[in-house]
Amino acid sequence: MHEMAITQSVVETVCERLEGAPARALTLEIGRLSGVVPDAVRFCFDMAADGTALAGARLDITEPDGRARCRACTNEFRLDDLIALCGCGSADVEITGGQELRIRSVEVL
């Protein structure tokens, strides 16, 4: 479960910027193709945030869909998993979204 290390890294990054100011909420963007499990991040967040400026803060996570563009026919389509295959039959696709892991916002008290 690498989500604990990822969550600890997010908490450390945010706390460095907060310089001790307590936070009310943290919003993350975790793409559906990122390989990170949002429910596991939710599970780890309270443990990682304990004793920091994020202790007691609400965690919100948005999960953007995977997106791809076919290089053969230029069709853009939604991806539900990393098996990228266009409706035209081509596997020559570029993944254009859904792989992100971003800190979107922090609400400070």
Side-chain angles (χ1 to χ4, degrees):
M1 183 164 98
H2 65 284
E3 280 79 0
M4 178 54 106
I6 291 168
T7 306
Q8 288 174 323
S9 179
V10 167
V11 167
E12 289 170 11
T13 300
V14 171
C15 288
E16 285 175 12
R17 298 291 175 107
L18 290 175
E19 298 179 351
R24 179 181 313 190
L26 169 66
T27 302
L28 301 178
E29 185 176 85
I30 300 175
R32 294 185 190 275
L33 303 179
S34 68
V36 177
V37 179
D39 283 343
V41 172
R42 287 182 185 97
F43 178 79
C44 296
F45 180 71
D46 286 340
M47 290 181 279
D50 188 40
T52 72
L54 284 170
R58 185 183 74 246
L59 175 63
D60 298 320
I61 298 175
T62 61
E63 301 175 51
D65 288 335
R67 302 286 310 160
R69 185 180 63 79
C70 179
R71 291 184 180 107
C73 71
T74 69
N75 182 35
E76 293 187 15
F77 54 97
R78 180 178 156 203
L79 276 179
D80 293 326
D81 55 43
L82 289 173
I83 300 173
L85 186 62
C86 180
C88 74
S90 175
D92 186 13
V93 300
E94 174 186 6
I95 295 174
T96 58
Q99 296 179 304
E100 53 276 81
L101 171 58
R102 294 187 184 122
I103 299 167
R104 296 297 293 178
S105 66
V106 179
E107 287 181 38
V108 180
L109 293 175

